[in-house]
Amino acid sequence: MKIERTSVIISFVLFFCISAFAQDLNQLEWLNDLDSKSTATYGDAVKIFAMQTSGRSSSFKADSSLLEKSGIALDGYSESENLSRGMLAKMTARYLDLGGSLMYMISGAERYAFRACVAEGIMRGDGSENDVISGPELVEVLGRVSEIRGGDNE
């Protein structure tokens, strides 16, 4: 499990390193710092999804606008709010257009988005959608998302 997590993190960091020459190195420092945070925030998720979507990040407002246009952003959360597994799952389900859960497709609720992400192997099922997620967990999930999205032929 530790080796798998490490390889996912390394592949995710390498993904950003390849494009680092065209980006601000502060984003790589931020990603490194994120990997040591005990609690991730909604702002962290917005930034990392913006990086995943467009290859770069700017301000929370600009990133939120980008994600809103893509249908990934969540309503009603502030930048500094602790990130729950349900919030991350809902953003992930929107980004990957997950439709594997009938209840998620009907309700769009974070609870069912979390279950859909667990069913797809994107998130671990050893907790609930209300659990606060750490920085390393956020990086791990986005590593899996990156692998899945990388397999798509867009």
Side-chain angles (χ1 to χ4, degrees):
M1 182 78 170
K2 178 73 173 162
I3 294 173
E4 178 183 326
R5 179 177 173 264
T6 303
S7 65
V8 168
I9 290 171
I10 290 171
S11 66
F12 192 69
V13 170
L14 286 176
F15 169 78
F16 285 109
C17 287
I18 291 170
S19 58
F21 298 107
Q23 293 181 31
D24 185 5
L25 292 177
N26 289 331
Q27 291 180 11
L28 291 175
E29 280 183 41
W30 172 83
L31 188 60
N32 188 44
D33 291 342
L34 177 63
D35 194 38
S36 63
K37 285 179 79 172
S38 62
T39 303
T41 64
Y42 177 65
D44 293 330
V46 166
K47 185 170 187 150
I48 205 165
F49 269 102
M51 291 168 67
Q52 177 75 24
T53 303
S54 69
R56 65 186 58 210
S57 173
S58 121
S59 68
F60 175 76
K61 186 175 179 179
D63 292 345
S64 293
S65 179
L66 170 73
L67 296 184
E68 191 174 309
K69 290 175 187 170
S70 303
I72 301 167
L74 303 177
D75 294 330
Y77 295 109
S78 67
E79 179 178 11
S80 61
E81 194 157 344
N82 288 344
L83 183 67
S84 72
R85 287 182 175 189
M87 293 163 64
L88 179 59
K90 190 167 185 175
M91 294 175 80
T92 300
R94 288 176 171 182
Y95 180 69
L96 294 176
D97 196 23
L98 293 182
S101 167
L102 180 62
M103 290 305 293
Y104 172 68
M105 289 175 14
I106 292 170
S107 71
E110 291 176 6
R111 169 184 215 134
Y112 300 113
F114 174 67
R115 289 182 181 177
C117 286
V118 169
E120 293 289 329
I122 298 167
M123 299 178 88
R124 295 186 323 260
D126 61 351
S128 88
E129 71 277 1
N130 298 317
D131 293 341
V132 174
I133 199 162
S134 68
E137 287 175 295
L138 176 58
V139 171
E140 184 179 338
V141 169
L142 262 290
R144 288 188 188 114
V145 167
S146 183
E147 288 175 2
I148 291 168
R149 197 61 185 244
D152 290 348
N153 294 326
E154 295 181 43

